[in-house]
Amino acid sequence: MNKLLKKLNDFNELVMFKHSIFSLPFIFIAMIVAAKGWFGFSLLVLGILAALTARNFAMGFNRYLDRDIDALNPRTVNRPNVDGRLSANQILIFTFANALGFILVAYFVNDLALILSLPILIIIGSYSYFKRFSFLAHLILGISLGLAPIAGVVAVSETITLWSILLSIGVMFWVAGFDLLYSLQDIDVDKKLGLHSIPSKFGVKNTMNISKVFHALTIVFWFFFVVTSNGGTFAYIAILVSVLMLSYEHYLVNKDFRKIDKAFFTVNGYLGIVFFFLILLDTIFY
């Protein structure tokens, strides 16, 4: 039993399960807006399973491909895919099991979800390749998480709406923006290994400025999401809170690079949760 629990903990560490908090709120934001309220217990369960299996697939695939890179990075050398706790075959089996799980969940959601399931897996798996030849990898990661709202509205209404696309583009720039800040930690390693990232190509100052531009675009697209979805007062408060939290994130990183983890995990984690609850309140009262 202890051996099984240890292995489960290793997989948990492999995919950094707690980071699911970044995509889950935006799936349910889209589902709430599409349903104009409660969308049902079955879709709640299926939405959670879809988000987790998709993310586990993406992270597992990334860790499988990056075994050589992670072994040469002091920040990642103790990951389970490097230190021997999980074999390459175990990671591969885990990855494809989650891919199949995601497709199976999509089958139970609706026909459009099933049709889109394979293209979604291809997109979210492509991040691992892009960083080997293009600095646009940050945007690919953003697109991967940005698919969450579209998946949410497809689950509820089996359509893709304008407001869900605007919300998704906002999520894309939000994720790409904070990924730029997070990747500042690896700028020297990226240069040494010849990996393509915006920090290694454009430097620290330019990276921080690009991140600010991305986060400004986040606010713009989220604002138009609220407008096109006929959001009320609480939805506009969500935009204001997002401005304050993203500004605080950049303040932390500008002040002290050692605060990158706090900016990445804490601020962005709370942003998604607060945004979700404000949209929920907006749906209830408007």
Side-chain angles (χ1 to χ4, degrees), residues 62-81:
N62 178 264
R63 294 291 182 257
Y64 176 79
L65 289 181
D66 281 5
R67 300 188 312 281
D68 55 337
I69 295 172
D70 288 346
L72 298 173
N73 186 341
R75 186 176 64 81
T76 59
V77 71
N78 293 318
R79 284 177 175 173
N81 60 322

Side-chain angles (χ1 to χ4, degrees), residues 224-236:
F224 284 113
F225 148 68
V226 172
V227 172
T228 55
S229 63
N230 298 314
T233 302
F234 286 107
Y236 285 102

Side-chain angles (χ1 to χ4, degrees), residues 174-187:
W174 170 53
V175 172
F178 70 65
D179 185 57
L180 287 178
L181 299 179
Y182 190 71
S183 63
L184 288 171
Q185 300 174 101
D186 296 330
I187 185 171

Side-chain angles (χ1 to χ4, degrees), residues 201-222:
K201 184 174 180 63
F202 297 105
V204 173
K205 184 177 180 180
N206 288 329
T207 296
M208 295 177 75
N209 287 334
I210 294 170
S211 177
K212 290 173 184 174
V213 171
F214 280 3
H215 283 159
L217 290 170
T218 296
I219 299 303
V220 170
F221 280 100
W222 283 351

